[in-house]
Amino acid sequence: MKPKIVVKNLTKYFGDKKVLDEISFEVYEGEIFGLLGHNGAGKTTTLRILTGIIEEYTGYVEINGKIGYLPEERGLYRDEKVVDVLKFFGELAGMERGEIAKSIDYWLNKLKISNYKNSKIKELSKGNQQKVQFIVSVIHNPDIVILDEPFSGLDVVNVKLLRDIIFELKNEGKTVILSTHQLEKIEKLCDRVLILKKGKAVHYGKIENICRKMAYIEYLDNGKLIKKEMPYEDAILILKEKSEDIVKFEVRYSLEEIFLDE
Ligand SMILES: Nc1ncnc2c1ncn2[C@@H]1O[C@H](COP(=O)(O)OP(=O)(O)OP(=O)(O)O)[C@@H](O)[C@H]1O
């Protein structure tokens, strides 16, 4: 199947500064793809190139589908009503009126903010404003959804809500690319990831292939509760030796380690 996104040898300078250095990756239909890296690694620049906001670069970029985009810098018309803002973006995307109205109700309900349909943006909490902004990125039923730091500013409940929605998008066959510097948010979410470090791609692939397999284990040692994260192979030995004293055993893929290593 033709990839939804193909990027080859993408290089970008801002002035003399090289912020992307020969980045290559592909994103396939129906996958959740994570762009990871510390602040300044080049995630936002990559996403802005994919969405066409940045037009000057060298390398090859191919996009096969309709894009929806949640930018990192949020900002909606504060004095406007939620419904009017969403209508505006629906029209901008070339949707028909009836279609827009249906999509607005569907998404407000899904994000549990139907009550705020007629509120002004400025009357909403930051998290709810962010949900409206998310709706802007999906209102026109795009097949590629690009989310720049989608979880920042959301509380635990809403992080879960958004994760569930991202999984649903995937199950509908949509392609999702998201960026984050918060590793714990994506370890179980992304099918594959690209890890950027100072503009270079340092890892690319399935999390389980690029991370070390670890285990978190809690066990009783002479009545004392021991809690440890350790390499999976070591944990298996303890699991065998102390099978009766194990309180908890979880397999983890430590992306954190990769980040610290680099
Ligand atoms: N318009 C610009 N002009 C000059 N330099 C820029 C511009 N946009 C980004 N940069 C620089 O490019 C580098 C990569 O920035 P980018 O925003 O892509 O990183 P990021 O991984 O998204 O980080 P963050 O999580 O902090 O947004 C940084 O050093 C940044 O200062």
Side-chain angles (χ1 to χ4, degrees), residues 214-217 228 230-241 246 249-250:
M214 305 286 285
Y216 173 79
I217 184 164
K228 271 188 189 161
M230 60 179 78
Y232 180 76
E233 306 75 37
D234 299 350
I236 286 292
L237 293 179
I238 295 184
L239 190 65
K240 281 184 187 150
E241 264 174 37
I246 302 291
F249 187 90
E250 272 176 24

Side-chain angles (χ1 to χ4, degrees), residues 14 17 19 38-46 48 72 149 181:
F14 283 116
K17 193 174 172 199
V19 297
H38 291 305
N39 293 128
K43 307 178 294 292
T44 297
T45 303
T46 306
R48 285 191 182 141
E72 189 184 34
E149 297 281 355
H181 61 277

